[in-house]
Amino acid sequence: MKKENINIHKNLKIIGLVAKNGENIAVIEEFFASRGIEILVEKNSAKKIGKKGFSLDEICKKTNFIISLGGDGTLISTCRQVVGKDVYVLGIHDGTLGFLTDIKMNDMQSFFTQFFAGIYEIERPLMLDVVFKKNGGKNIKRVAFNDVVITRNTISSMSKVDTYLNGKYFNTYYGDGVIVSSPAGSTAYNMSANGPIIYPLSNVFCITPICSHSLTQRPLVLPNEHELSFKNVDENEVAIVIDGQDVFDMNKFDEVCIHLGNTHANLIRHLNRDYFSVLKEKLHWGHNGGKA
Amino acid sequence: MKKENINIHKNLKIIGLVAKNGENIAVIEEFFASRGIEILVEKNSAKKIGKKGFSLDEICKKTNFIISLGGDGTLISTCRQVVGKDVYVLGIHDGTLGFLTDIKMNDMQSFFTQFFAGIYEIERPLMLDVVFKKNGGKNIKRVAFNDVVITRNTISSMSKVDTYLNGKYFNTYYGDGVIVSSPAGSTAYNMSANGPIIYPLSNVFCITPICSHSLTQRPLVLPNEHELSFKNVDENEVAIVIDGQDVFDMNKFDEVCIHLGNTHANLIRHLNRDYFSVLKEKLHWGHNGGKA
Amino acid sequence: MKKENINIHKNLKIIGLVAKNGENIAVIEEFFASRGIEILVEKNSAKKIGKKGFSLDEICKKTNFIISLGGDGTLISTCRQVVGKDVYVLGIHDGTLGFLTDIKMNDMQSFFTQFFAGIYEIERPLMLDVVFKKNGGKNIKRVAFNDVVITRNTISSMSKVDTYLNGKYFNTYYGDGVIVSSPAGSTAYNMSANGPIIYPLSNVFCITPICSHSLTQRPLVLPNEHELSFKNVDENEVAIVIDGQDVFDMNKFDEVCIHLGNTHANLIRHLNRDYFSVLKEKLHWGHNGGKA
Amino acid sequence: MKKENINIHKNLKIIGLVAKNGENIAVIEEFFASRGIEILVEKNSAKKIGKKGFSLDEICKKTNFIISLGGDGTLISTCRQVVGKDVYVLGIHDGTLGFLTDIKMNDMQSFFTQFFAGIYEIERPLMLDVVFKKNGGKNIKRVAFNDVVITRNTISSMSKVDTYLNGKYFNTYYGDGVIVSSPAGSTAYNMSANGPIIYPLSNVFCITPICSHSLTQRPLVLPNEHELSFKNVDENEVAIVIDGQDVFDMNKFDEVCIHLGNTHANLIRHLNRDYFSVLKEKLHWGHNGGKA
C-alpha cells in the first residue's frame, strides 16, 4: 500500500479527458474553464459530441493529469493506454458506483476544492505484465489492469492448458478456462468464478479456474515474485482475453507468461477513500449481514 | 519468501524431540547416537515410552534444534510452544505426507547427510498474533500457526460477530462462524470452507466465512499491515478456537484482535522443497487434471 | 405439487393459536371474536401474556385449524408437533417475511375475507422421517420439517460418518458434518452450505456436506424412494440436530435412517401464493440481477 | 425410477452399431457373427474403416437394439438421434468409464451371456424438451440428453437473459450464462458450475448459473411439471448449445422453452448396475473420503 501526496495539483493548466459518453463533456469543460484550466478531450471521446479531439499520446505530452469519465471499464482502458508514463488518472462516474471510480459528477465541486488544496491521495495498484512468446519471433508485451483470461475459443468446446510456475510444470487447467487476476481485478470476473476478494493494494495475485472439470481445482493466491506461464496442450483453440478488451489467439504463440510486479497504475483518490465502504455497498455486507 | 542458510547444523551436540507416538523415538535416538548427538525427548512424548523426558523450556535452553515426529498437528503445536525463541523445528512424518512435514522416516538418512553438509533451508511462515482484550483486565496474547476460528459455541445455534478493520466497522458475519487463516493455514480448515489456497510464504492472510447465512459473503485476502477485530453482538455464546487446539469463550472478552505480522515459525526444510508438489499430490492436481 | 381446496373454512367455531411473542395474541382473539370464532391459545404462548392456555393435544381435539404467529421457526415447530393429525396450519408473521409465513398481520383482514369464501390452498410439503436404531433397543422416530444435521459435537473436532444408501455403503463424510434437507428446508442451512435450492413441493431431498475435508464431495439430490443411513465411525462424538430444535447423541444409537416420503405438513396458503416471489425478495433475484 | 425387463433379447437377428473409433468394429462383428447375429454399422462409423454402412433411420427399421461403442458423448448423440423411436441403446466403452457407459469391451462376453438369458434392465432417464419459438415462424423442437446451455456468444462479452417460470418472469441471469440440466446431465457441465449431483432417474431438473455476476444466484432444482423459458434482453449475442453438440443463435428466436417430461432415452444396463459406484470411482468418494 503506497499512499503519498505529490504535487500534480500545482500549476495545473491542462487536463486530459476520456469519456465513455458525450453528455457530460461540456459540463466538465465549463467547470474547469472557470478555473482557468483547459480540457483536452481525447479524440474518440470528442467524436461523440462531433468534435475532433487529441490522441492520448498528444495529451500525455501536455499534461500528467487525465480525467476518466465513465465506469471502471473506461478507467481501466485509460490506465492501460498511459502505462509507463508518469500520468495520473482520476475516475469520475456518471452512473453506477465502481470499485475504481467512486466520485460522482455531483461531487466534483467538493472533490476539486480539496484537490486544489493538496488534499488527495495517489493509489498505485499493481497491474499484471503479460508476455506472449514465440520461438524465433518477437515477444509481445501487454499489461492487464484487472485480469488475463485464458479460455476456450468456441462456446461448445473446453480448454486445456498446462501451467508452469517459475518455469516448472505444476498444474493443468481443463474446463472453461482460467483467470489470472490482479488484486484490483479480484472483484471482477474472478469473484464470479468463486475467486477470493483481495485488497487492491496487496502485492499478491490470484489464479482461479473457471468451471473446472476437476473438482479439486481451487483459487490460488501467489506473491508477486512468482511467474506463471501457460501452454495450450489441446487441439481446441484457446483465446487470451486481457481486461475483457484485447483478444489474442493462443495458438499463435508458444507460451504466455504472466506476473505481477513491475507495472502499476497511478490513480488519484479522495483522501481516506474507503475500499471497504464500496465493498459493503456493492455486496450488501454490513449489519444486516444476517439477512440473505 | 525468506530462504536462507544459517549454521544450526554446526557443532550440533543436542537435539530436542517431540513425538506424537512412541514407536520411532528409539530409532531416532539410535540414529543420532551413532553421530555423537544426544536426543532430549520432550516429557509428554517420553511418557509414551514410559520414560521421564524434559520440558520444552528445558530443551530450548540446551539446543536450538527440535525434531517434530508426527503430522502437521504435532509440528504446529511445537512451533506455537517455542514461539519467540530462536529455535528451529524439523518435521518428520511417520505416516501421511503433510503440507509442513514432508520428510519421511525412511528419508532421514539422506536428509541428514545433506543437512550436516549445510544443504538445507529455513522457512519462516508468518503466524497470526491474537490478542484477547478485556476492559479493566489484562490482555491475553496467543499466536496461531494455521487459523483462528470464531464460531458458535453450541451446535444448534448460529454466531453473529461484528468485525472491524483497523478499528473501523466493516462487516457482520452471521452463520456457523468465520476463519482467520495464516497463509500456511490456508490449506487447512480455510480450504474446506471454500477459502483460497495461499502460498505459505506470502505476507497476506485471509478471512473466510463458514456457512454464511448471507449469500454475498466471500473470502477476503488482506495484507499483513491490516488488523481485524471481532465483537460478539448476539446473545448466543461464541467460541474462539486457535489451531483447533486452544478454545476460548468470547463472552469473557470485549474484543479479539488478530493480525499477521510480527511472529513467524522457523522451519528447517530440505533444499528446493516444493510446496506445489505437495499440493499436487494432496489435491490430485496435474496432467490428469482433466479427470474428475 | 398437491394443491387442492377442502372445506376447513366451513363451520369454523374454534381456532388454535401458537405464538412466538405475546404482543399480537389479543388482536387475533378480537379479530375472530367479532366473527364468532373462539381462539384457543396454546399454553406456552398463553404464558407470555400471563394466561393459562391449552396443550396442543387438547387444541387438536377441538379444531383442525391452527394459526402459527411468528416466523418460519414457530411454524415448523407447530407442524412437527401436530404431525400425523389431520390439522391445518396457517403462518402469520409479525416481522420478517419467511419462506413459509408470507401473510403479514396487516394482511389478515383481506386474507380471511378470501379464506371464508373458500379461496385458499393447501400445500403439503414432504417432511423427512428419521429413525434412530439401537440393537436390542426400541427405535425412536422423529420427523424433520427442514433438515437433519449430523455434525461434530464439539467445536474443535471433526465428524466422520459412514453413509449407506438403501443399505449399501456409498460414502464417508468427513468434516464439519452433513445436512439431509427436505425440499422445503433447502433454503435454510442447506443453502448456507452451498446446497441447491429445491422447489418445496418436489418429491426429492438433498444430502449436502458441511465444510468437507475432501474437495470432491458435493450436494446430492435423491428421489423420495431412497433411504439414507448413517453410522459414526470415529471416536469423536457426533450429534444429530433436527430442525435446529432437537439434539440427539449419535453414540447412543447404532444407526440413524432418514428418508423422505410418508409424512407431510398441511399448510394453508393464500391462492396463487408464489414461492418464487419470496425467493426473489429474499435473494435479491430479478431484473437488477446484473448488479452484485 | 423405472426398471423393467422386456423381451428385446429374444429373436435378436440384427444389431445396429455406432462407433466413435473404427478399431473395435470388427471385434464386435465377429463376436455376434458367431452367435448368428448381423451387425449393421452406422455409415459415419463405417467410414472410419473404409466401409459404407447404413443410416440410423435404416438401422431403426430393421432392429430396436443399437450398440454405442465409445464414451458418454457417443451414447448421448445416438440416443438423441433415435429419440421417439422404440429403440434400445447399450453403451460399451473402450477407454474411460462413463456415467452412462460402464461396460468395458472386455466385459462383453459376460454381459451378453446374461443378456441373452434375459438378465438385464432398461433405464429410462428423462431428457429435456427444447422448443425454439419465433413469432410468425415455425417452432423448432429438439431434445437434450444432458443439458441446454444458454451462454454468451463471444468470449469477451457477458450474456443477460430474462427467465420465466410457467410463463411468469422470475429471474435474470447475467454472467457467462446458465445451464438447464437433466438429472442424468447433472454430473456433466452442471457439476463444474457448482450445480448439485442429481440421481439420474429422478423426475426433477436443475437450472444452474455459470459465473453469475450476482453473488446470490444459486442452482435451483425444479419438478418436471415446470417449464422454463428464456429471452435475450441484451444487445450481446447469446448462443444455445444442446449437449455440447448443436449450437443455435438465440437472436433468431423470440423465446426458448425448456422442460423435463415427455421424452426419455431407453438404455440397456446390466442388472443391478450401480450409479453410486461410478460416482465413487469418478469423484474419489468413499472410505478414504477424509483425504483430500
Side-chain angles (χ1 to χ4, degrees):
Chain A
M1 264 194 321
K2 294 168 193 160
K3 294 192 177 185
E4 62 198 87
N5 283 348
I6 60 163
N7 292 324
I8 43 173
H9 61 287
K10 290 187 182 161
N11 303 316
L12 197 59
K13 297 294 176 212
I14 299 173
I15 295 177
L17 176 64
V18 178
K20 191 185 176 188
N21 306 303
E23 42 183 317
N24 280 310
I25 292 177
V27 179
I28 287 188
E29 286 176 322
E30 216 170 295
F31 179 87
F32 285 104
S34 68
R35 280 157 183 82
I37 293 174
E38 188 189 357
I39 294 293
L40 299 185
V41 184
E42 184 268 340
K43 58 184 179 184
N44 292 313
S45 313
K47 221 178 279 176
K48 286 159 193 163
I49 51 167
K51 296 206 172 156
K52 228 182 139 219
F54 302 83
S55 74
L56 264 178
D57 271 355
E58 290 171 299
I59 292 172
C60 290
K61 277 173 196 151
K62 299 193 174 170
T63 181
N64 66 349
F65 186 114
I66 293 177
I67 291 175
S68 163
L69 180 62
D72 283 2
T74 307
L75 184 83
I76 287 170
S77 166
T78 305
C79 288
R80 293 183 63 219
Q81 289 178 73
V82 302
V83 80
K85 291 176 177 131
D86 188 33
V87 165
Y88 298 81
V89 182
L90 171 73
I92 297 179
H93 73 84
D94 46 3
T96 316
L97 170 75
F99 281 103
L100 302 164
T101 50
D102 56 353
I103 294 170
K104 278 181 288 195
M105 276 301 291
N106 291 344
D107 297 339
M108 260 179 63
Q109 177 89 42
S110 66
F111 172 76
F112 278 103
T113 304
Q114 294 215 303
F115 175 78
F116 288 117
I119 304 168
Y120 61 94
E121 291 181 328
I122 305 296
E123 267 188 15
R124 302 184 194 274
L126 290 170
M127 300 166 88
L128 296 163
D129 287 325
V130 191
V131 184
F132 296 86
K133 293 186 179 170
K134 172 127 199 97
N135 289 340
K138 223 180 142 186
N139 291 348
I140 296 177
K141 293 184 180 185
R142 288 290 182 278
V143 293
F145 193 106
N146 268 350
D147 48 40
V148 183
V149 179
I150 297 162
T151 184
R152 56 197 186 150
N153 210 356
T154 53
I155 45 166
S156 56
S157 65
M158 292 220 266
S159 71
K160 187 174 186 179
V161 288
D162 278 358
T163 308
Y164 298 77
L165 192 68
N166 307 321
K168 188 170 170 187
Y169 171 79
F170 97 107
N171 203 3
T172 297
Y173 291 98
Y174 183 51
D176 281 7
V178 67
I179 303 162
V180 181
S181 170
S182 74
S186 67
T187 44
Y189 192 16
N190 172 70
M191 188 165 70
S192 296
N194 273 319
I197 299 170
I198 302 175
Y199 186 73
L201 301 177
S202 305
N203 58 1
V204 293
F205 65 118
C206 186
I207 176 167
T208 299
I210 312 169
C211 295
S212 170
H213 188 77
S214 158
L215 300 183
T216 63
Q217 297 294 347
R218 290 296 166 102
L220 172 66
V221 174
L222 293 168
N224 57 351
E225 62 262 36
H226 288 288
E227 185 185 72
L228 288 168
S229 49
F230 298 92
K231 293 181 185 177
N232 184 11
V233 289
D234 209 40
E235 61 202 26
N236 287 332
E237 286 185 11
V238 168
I240 293 162
V241 186
I242 297 183
D243 286 333
Q245 300 174 340
D246 289 351
V247 182
F248 295 81
D249 176 355
M250 197 167 184
N251 290 349
K252 295 196 176 145
F253 305 95
D254 293 305
E255 197 183 4
V256 181
C257 302
I258 304 172
H259 75 282
L260 186 78
N262 303 319
T263 311
H264 57 77
N266 300 307
L267 302 181
I268 295 171
R269 310 301 298 244
H270 55 81
L271 203 63
N272 299 321
R273 83 104 181 181
D274 187 353
Y275 170 71
F276 296 99
S277 300
V278 182
L279 211 56
K280 273 159 60 180
E281 189 171 332
K282 300 281 266 187
L283 305 186
H284 311 294
W285 287 12
H287 281 297
N288 60 349
K291 307 299 160 197
Chain B
M1 259 192 329
K2 295 170 194 156
K3 293 191 178 186
E4 62 197 90
N5 283 346
I6 58 162
N7 292 323
I8 43 173
H9 61 285
K10 291 188 181 159
N11 302 315
L12 198 57
K13 298 291 176 217
I14 298 173
I15 295 176
L17 175 65
V18 178
K20 191 185 176 189
N21 306 304
E23 43 186 315
N24 280 309
I25 293 176
V27 180
I28 287 188
E29 287 177 321
E30 214 168 299
F31 179 88
F32 286 104
S34 69
R35 282 157 183 81
I37 294 174
E38 184 189 0
I39 294 293
L40 300 186
V41 184
E42 184 269 340
K43 59 183 176 181
N44 292 313
S45 313
K47 222 178 280 177
K48 288 160 192 161
I49 50 167
K51 295 205 172 160
K52 223 177 146 228
F54 301 82
S55 75
L56 264 179
D57 271 354
E58 291 171 298
I59 292 171
C60 290
K61 277 174 197 151
K62 299 194 173 168
T63 181
N64 65 350
F65 186 112
I66 293 177
I67 291 174
S68 163
L69 180 62
D72 283 1
T74 306
L75 183 83
I76 287 171
S77 166
T78 304
C79 287
R80 293 183 64 220
Q81 289 177 74
V82 302
V83 79
K85 291 178 175 131
D86 188 34
V87 166
Y88 298 81
V89 181
L90 171 74
I92 297 178
H93 73 83
D94 47 2
T96 317
L97 170 74
F99 281 103
L100 302 164
T101 48
D102 55 353
I103 295 169
K104 277 182 289 194
M105 276 301 291
N106 290 346
D107 298 338
M108 261 180 61
Q109 176 92 41
S110 66
F111 171 77
F112 278 103
T113 304
Q114 294 215 304
F115 175 79
F116 287 117
I119 303 168
Y120 61 96
E121 290 181 329
I122 305 296
E123 267 189 13
R124 303 186 194 275
L126 289 170
M127 300 167 90
L128 296 163
D129 286 326
V130 192
V131 184
F132 297 85
K133 293 185 178 172
K134 172 126 197 99
N135 289 339
K138 224 180 144 185
N139 291 347
I140 296 177
K141 294 182 180 185
R142 289 290 183 279
V143 294
F145 193 104
N146 269 349
D147 49 41
V148 184
V149 180
I150 297 162
T151 185
R152 56 195 185 154
N153 210 356
T154 53
I155 44 166
S156 56
S157 65
M158 292 220 267
S159 71
K160 187 174 186 178
V161 289
D162 278 357
T163 309
Y164 299 78
L165 191 68
N166 308 320
K168 190 172 169 185
Y169 171 78
F170 97 106
N171 203 3
T172 298
Y173 291 99
Y174 182 52
D176 281 9
V178 65
I179 303 161
V180 181
S181 169
S182 75
S186 67
T187 43
Y189 193 16
N190 172 71
M191 188 165 70
S192 297
N194 273 317
I197 300 169
I198 302 175
Y199 186 73
L201 300 178
S202 306
N203 58 359
V204 293
F205 66 118
C206 187
I207 174 166
T208 299
I210 312 169
C211 294
S212 170
H213 188 77
S214 158
L215 301 183
T216 63
Q217 297 295 347
R218 291 295 166 102
L220 173 65
V221 174
L222 292 168
N224 57 352
E225 62 262 38
H226 288 288
E227 184 186 71
L228 288 167
S229 49
F230 298 91
K231 292 181 186 177
N232 184 13
V233 290
D234 209 40
E235 61 202 23
N236 287 332
E237 286 185 12
V238 168
I240 294 162
V241 186
I242 298 183
D243 286 332
Q245 299 173 343
D246 288 351
V247 182
F248 295 82
D249 177 355
M250 195 167 185
N251 290 348
K252 295 196 177 146
F253 305 94
D254 293 304
E255 200 183 3
V256 181
C257 303
I258 304 172
H259 74 282
L260 186 79
N262 303 319
T263 311
H264 56 77
N266 299 308
L267 302 181
I268 294 170
R269 311 300 298 242
H270 55 81
L271 202 63
N272 300 322
R273 83 107 182 178
D274 188 353
Y275 172 70
F276 296 100
S277 301
V278 182
L279 211 55
K280 274 159 60 178
E281 187 169 334
K282 299 281 268 187
L283 306 187
H284 310 296
W285 287 11
H287 281 295
N288 59 350
K291 307 302 163 199
Chain C
M1 262 194 321
K2 293 171 196 157
K3 294 191 177 185
E4 62 197 87
N5 284 349
I6 59 161
N7 293 324
I8 43 172
H9 62 287
K10 291 186 181 160
N11 302 316
L12 197 59
K13 298 294 176 212
I14 298 172
I15 296 177
L17 176 65
V18 178
K20 190 185 178 191
N21 305 304
E23 41 185 319
N24 280 310
I25 293 177
V27 180
I28 287 187
E29 286 176 322
E30 215 169 299
F31 179 88
F32 285 103
S34 68
R35 281 158 183 81
I37 294 173
E38 187 190 357
I39 294 294
L40 300 186
V41 183
E42 184 268 341
K43 59 183 179 185
N44 291 314
S45 314
K47 221 178 279 177
K48 287 160 194 163
I49 51 166
K51 295 205 174 159
K52 228 181 141 221
F54 301 83
S55 75
L56 264 179
D57 271 356
E58 290 171 298
I59 292 172
C60 290
K61 276 173 197 151
K62 299 195 173 170
T63 181
N64 65 349
F65 186 114
I66 293 177
I67 291 174
S68 163
L69 181 62
D72 283 1
T74 307
L75 183 83
I76 287 171
S77 167
T78 306
C79 287
R80 292 183 63 220
Q81 289 177 75
V82 302
V83 80
K85 292 179 176 129
D86 188 32
V87 166
Y88 298 81
V89 181
L90 172 73
I92 296 179
H93 73 84
D94 48 2
T96 316
L97 170 74
F99 280 103
L100 302 164
T101 50
D102 55 355
I103 294 170
K104 277 182 289 195
M105 275 300 293
N106 289 345
D107 297 338
M108 260 180 62
Q109 177 90 44
S110 66
F111 172 77
F112 277 102
T113 303
Q114 293 214 305
F115 174 78
F116 287 117
I119 304 168
Y120 61 95
E121 291 182 330
I122 305 298
E123 268 188 16
R124 303 185 194 275
L126 290 170
M127 299 166 90
L128 296 163
D129 286 325
V130 191
V131 184
F132 297 86
K133 294 186 178 170
K134 172 124 197 102
N135 289 340
K138 223 181 144 184
N139 292 348
I140 296 177
K141 293 183 181 185
R142 288 290 183 277
V143 293
F145 192 106
N146 268 350
D147 48 39
V148 183
V149 179
I150 297 162
T151 185
R152 57 198 186 150
N153 211 356
T154 52
I155 46 167
S156 57
S157 65
M158 293 220 266
S159 71
K160 187 174 187 179
V161 288
D162 278 358
T163 309
Y164 298 77
L165 191 67
N166 307 321
K168 188 169 171 188
Y169 170 79
F170 96 107
N171 203 2
T172 297
Y173 291 98
Y174 182 51
D176 281 8
V178 67
I179 303 161
V180 181
S181 170
S182 75
S186 67
T187 44
Y189 193 17
N190 171 69
M191 188 165 70
S192 296
N194 272 318
I197 299 170
I198 303 175
Y199 186 72
L201 301 178
S202 305
N203 58 1
V204 293
F205 65 118
C206 187
I207 175 166
T208 298
I210 311 170
C211 295
S212 169
H213 189 78
S214 159
L215 300 183
T216 63
Q217 298 294 346
R218 290 296 166 101
L220 173 65
V221 174
L222 293 167
N224 57 352
E225 60 262 38
H226 288 289
E227 185 184 71
L228 288 168
S229 48
F230 298 91
K231 292 182 186 176
N232 185 11
V233 289
D234 210 39
E235 61 203 27
N236 286 331
E237 286 186 11
V238 169
I240 293 162
V241 186
I242 297 184
D243 287 332
Q245 300 174 342
D246 288 351
V247 182
F248 295 82
D249 177 355
M250 197 167 183
N251 290 348
K252 295 195 175 146
F253 305 94
D254 293 305
E255 198 183 3
V256 181
C257 303
I258 304 173
H259 74 283
L260 185 77
N262 303 319
T263 311
H264 57 77
N266 300 309
L267 302 181
I268 295 172
R269 310 300 298 243
H270 55 82
L271 203 63
N272 300 322
R273 83 104 182 182
D274 188 353
Y275 171 71
F276 295 100
S277 300
V278 182
L279 210 55
K280 274 158 62 178
E281 189 171 333
K282 300 281 267 186
L283 304 187
H284 311 294
W285 288 12
H287 281 296
N288 60 349
K291 307 301 162 197
Chain D
M1 259 194 328
K2 295 170 195 158
K3 293 192 177 184
E4 61 197 90
N5 283 348
I6 58 165
N7 292 324
I8 44 174
H9 61 286
K10 290 187 182 159
N11 302 317
L12 197 58
K13 298 291 175 217
I14 299 174
I15 294 177
L17 175 65
V18 178
K20 192 185 176 188
N21 305 305
E23 43 185 315
N24 280 311
I25 292 176
V27 180
I28 287 189
E29 286 177 322
E30 215 169 297
F31 179 87
F32 286 104
S34 68
R35 281 157 183 82
I37 294 174
E38 185 189 0
I39 293 294
L40 300 186
V41 183
E42 184 269 341
K43 60 183 177 182
N44 292 313
S45 313
K47 220 178 281 176
K48 288 161 193 161
I49 51 167
K51 296 207 172 157
K52 225 177 143 227
F54 301 82
S55 74
L56 263 180
D57 271 354
E58 290 172 298
I59 292 172
C60 290
K61 276 174 197 150
K62 300 194 172 169
T63 181
N64 65 351
F65 186 112
I66 294 178
I67 290 174
S68 163
L69 180 62
D72 284 0
T74 307
L75 183 82
I76 287 171
S77 167
T78 305
C79 287
R80 292 183 64 220
Q81 289 177 75
V82 303
V83 80
K85 292 177 175 131
D86 188 34
V87 165
Y88 297 81
V89 182
L90 171 74
I92 296 178
H93 74 83
D94 46 3
T96 316
L97 169 74
F99 281 102
L100 302 164
T101 48
D102 55 353
I103 294 169
K104 276 181 289 194
M105 277 299 293
N106 290 345
D107 297 339
M108 260 179 62
Q109 176 89 42
S110 66
F111 171 77
F112 278 102
T113 304
Q114 294 214 302
F115 174 78
F116 288 117
I119 303 168
Y120 61 96
E121 290 180 329
I122 305 297
E123 267 189 14
R124 303 185 194 274
L126 289 170
M127 299 166 89
L128 296 163
D129 287 325
V130 191
V131 184
F132 297 86
K133 294 185 178 171
K134 172 127 198 97
N135 289 339
K138 224 180 143 183
N139 291 348
I140 296 177
K141 292 183 181 185
R142 288 288 183 280
V143 294
F145 193 105
N146 268 349
D147 48 39
V148 183
V149 179
I150 297 163
T151 184
R152 59 200 183 145
N153 210 356
T154 53
I155 45 166
S156 57
S157 65
M158 291 220 267
S159 71
K160 188 175 185 177
V161 289
D162 277 358
T163 309
Y164 299 77
L165 191 68
N166 307 321
K168 190 170 169 186
Y169 170 78
F170 97 107
N171 203 2
T172 297
Y173 291 98
Y174 183 51
D176 281 8
V178 65
I179 303 161
V180 182
S181 169
S182 74
S186 67
T187 43
Y189 193 16
N190 171 71
M191 189 165 69
S192 296
N194 272 318
I197 299 170
I198 302 175
Y199 186 72
L201 301 177
S202 305
N203 58 0
V204 293
F205 65 119
C206 187
I207 174 166
T208 298
I210 312 170
C211 294
S212 171
H213 188 78
S214 159
L215 301 184
T216 63
Q217 298 294 346
R218 290 296 166 99
L220 172 65
V221 174
L222 293 168
N224 57 351
E225 63 262 38
H226 287 289
E227 184 185 70
L228 288 168
S229 49
F230 298 92
K231 292 181 186 176
N232 184 12
V233 290
D234 209 40
E235 60 202 25
N236 287 332
E237 288 185 10
V238 168
I240 294 162
V241 186
I242 297 183
D243 286 333
Q245 300 174 341
D246 288 352
V247 182
F248 295 82
D249 177 354
M250 195 168 185
N251 289 349
K252 295 197 176 144
F253 304 95
D254 294 304
E255 200 183 2
V256 181
C257 303
I258 304 172
H259 74 281
L260 186 78
N262 303 319
T263 311
H264 56 76
N266 300 308
L267 302 181
I268 295 171
R269 310 301 298 245
H270 55 81
L271 203 64
N272 300 321
R273 84 105 181 181
D274 187 353
Y275 171 71
F276 296 101
S277 301
V278 182
L279 211 56
K280 274 159 58 180
E281 188 169 335
K282 299 281 267 189
L283 305 186
H284 311 296
W285 287 11
H287 281 297
N288 59 349
K291 307 300 164 198

